[in-house]
Amino acid sequence: MSIGLLGCGVVGGGILDFCAERTDLTVTKVLVRRERPELGGLAVTDISAITDDPTIGIVIEVMGGLHPAYEYICAALGAGKHVVTANKAVISAFYPELVKLASENGVTLRCTAAVGGGIPWLTNLERCKRLDAITELGGIMNGTTNFIMDAMHAAPVSFPDILKQAQELGYAEADPSADIDGDDVRRKLTISANIAFDALLREEDIPMFGIRTVTDGDIKAFKAHGFVCKLLATAKAAEEGVCAYIEPTLIDSHELEAAVPKNFNLITYCGEKIGRHSFFGQGAGRYPTAFNAVGDCLDILAGKVGFYTGTMTPAAVSNSAEAHPYYVRTACPDEFLRSVTVERWGEGVITSCVSVEEMLRWGRAHLKKDPACFVAGIR
């Protein structure tokens, strides 16, 4: 089958390498924004050269960003072409529109590479749903933040220093906000939760607290009490809606997530009957991401149709029933924090069980009073 490739950066180059080794998938056109002489006759600069080409059956989008990626994906689906994308931002923001458009045009939309990079996460989430009801999912969904937290636990190092190292190694962008503040994880959690629970959650409704303000002093306190801190995503089936949130989380040093090294991911779902299944691997990168994108193409070639779920029921984010203790460090404790404090750890305090909804709302608001405040749940 002939493929039209949108974008030819790191991941796009990996896709070209994989397809070059095959006879059943051939990239015949590549949409580029600037001159790429090395692509020869493959390079085109107008999306219509791909959408109007009747020989192209699959369009792979690896441009990134919301626009014009969204418009290009819509054009491809509208032209009756299957679409594979690694773009979590587009899928999260335009989830219902894209799923509906694919269905209306009788084509397949797949985005396995958008969540977990090279981890076969969404395909296995889909497989589990065939036989079992998923009750919970989540875990470590961002390699940049895991690299930073792993390094800070391994040796005394400040957050700014290890962030700079992550940028030098290519693990973090020049502007790392999407990673360290949780936006990247939130997009992946939105997609995963919508598929798992046949829901239609809005990305902006999921609360989060990132790792930007964590210090080596915090890490020292965690280690002294037998904990490791990781930025974790969580989504659970709730009586009304879906419980979903992202927060730094203290986990026992013997738990599986605590051992995840460097820039790796570990994503888990729990089924009512099957129990826990965890998926470990590279969450990003040239070949891991390209691997899942090309794998989606092979599934389409084998007759795979549709999306990972055919149901989208609007659902509210409901975190009021989920409660646990928290570690909080702030130079400006207020009446609320004093009312729930039960003990002190170094510069921080431990709270009694507080609802996720209340604590994350307080934490985000408190950052305006104390920009260095740090909040972490305790599991």
Side-chain angles (χ1 to χ4, degrees):
M1 183 175 288
S2 293
I3 293 171
L5 179 61
L6 311 186
C8 194
V10 173
V11 176
I15 290 170
L16 285 174
D17 288 347
F18 274 120
C19 290
E21 299 172 352
R22 307 190 62 86
T23 58
D24 50 357
L25 295 173
T26 305
V27 176
T28 56
K29 290 181 180 177
V30 181
L31 182 69
V32 296
R33 296 175 179 176
R34 56 182 176 81
E35 288 189 11
R36 296 289 297 272
E38 73 274 18
L39 294 175
L42 295 180
V44 298
T45 57
D46 191 331
I47 184 63
S48 63
I50 291 176
T51 55
D52 293 346
D53 187 339
T55 67
I56 291 177
I58 300 175
V59 171
I60 304 178
E61 184 276 312
V62 288
M63 300 173 62
L66 286 177
H67 305 287
Y70 170 66
E71 289 77 14
Y72 289 171
I73 290 173
C74 287
L77 292 172
K81 302 186 187 302
H82 305 295
V83 169
V84 170
T85 178
N87 194 327
K88 54 189 169 289
V90 163
I91 295 295
S92 179
F94 299 106
Y95 184 88
E97 294 90 343
L98 294 177
V99 173
K100 181 180 179 183
L101 186 59
S103 177
E104 289 174 347
N105 285 277
V107 291
T108 296
L109 171 66
R110 305 295 282 183
C111 59
T112 306
V115 185
I119 300 171
W121 164 245
L122 294 183
T123 51
N124 279 284
L125 198 61
E126 179 184 33
R127 284 172 60 86
C128 180
K129 286 184 59 187
R130 295 178 190 173
L131 291 174
D132 203 2
I134 294 170
T135 59
E136 181 177 354
L137 64 87
I140 299 169
M141 291 185 164
N142 181 275
T144 300
T145 55
N146 195 68
F147 174 84
I148 291 171
M149 299 309 290
D150 181 55
M152 291 185 74
H153 283 81
V157 61
S158 71
F159 181 86
D161 286 346
I162 193 59
L163 174 59
K164 182 180 179 181
Q165 183 181 340
Q167 290 170 322
E168 291 172 349
L169 291 171
Y171 295 153
E173 300 290 340
D175 179 1
S177 300
D179 293 319
I180 64 177
D181 292 332
D183 296 279
D184 175 81
V185 176
R186 185 163 66 171
R187 292 169 186 141
K188 296 170 183 176
L189 185 64
T190 301
I191 297 167
S192 300
N194 281 341
I195 292 170
F197 304 117
D198 293 326
L200 189 54
L201 300 178
R202 298 194 313 166
E203 176 186 327
E204 58 268 29
D205 291 340
I206 299 177
M208 60 184 182
F209 198 99
I211 65 167
R212 182 186 292 270
T213 55
V214 69
T215 67
D216 50 345
D218 295 326
I219 302 298
K220 183 178 179 181
F222 304 156
K223 292 174 68 176
H225 290 84
F227 287 102
V228 170
C229 185
K230 299 284 188 177
L231 183 65
L232 297 186
T234 300
K236 299 180 180 181
E239 287 189 10
E240 295 183 5
V242 177
C243 172
Y245 57 96
I246 296 103
E247 64 183 15
T249 306
L250 306 189
I251 53 180
D252 187 278
S253 59
H254 295 97
E255 287 195 42
L256 193 58
E257 286 85 357
V260 177
K262 299 181 180 179
N263 63 328
F264 285 80
N265 287 190
L266 180 74
I267 316 177
T268 297
Y269 63 68
C270 293
E272 285 185 355
K273 297 181 179 66
I274 199 65
R276 172 176 174 151
H277 282 179
S278 295
F279 301 84
F280 171 84
Q282 290 279 358
R286 181 184 184 93
Y287 289 119
T289 307
F291 173 85
N292 263 337
V294 176
D296 280 345
C297 293
L298 292 176
D299 285 343
I300 292 170
L301 200 62
K304 186 72 179 179
V305 296
F307 193 59
Y308 305 86
T309 176
T311 305
M312 295 183 294
T313 303
V317 173
S318 177
N319 295 329
S320 59
E322 178 74 8
H324 47 248
Y326 279 86
Y327 168 91
V328 181
R329 176 187 40 74
T330 176
C332 307
D334 59 10
E335 184 177 347
F336 165 74
L337 184 59
R338 293 189 189 98
S339 73
V340 296
T341 295
V342 295
E343 63 177 301
R344 176 169 289 277
W345 285 8
E347 297 179 351
V349 299
I350 303 301
T351 73
S352 57
C353 283
V354 180
S355 79
V356 169
E357 180 178 300
E358 185 175 24
M359 195 71 236
L360 291 186
R361 181 172 60 241
W362 178 90
R364 296 300 299 175
H366 200 71
L367 283 171
K368 297 177 182 177
K369 300 178 182 178
D370 178 11
C373 170
F374 182 69
V375 173
I378 303 177
R379 192 167 73 179

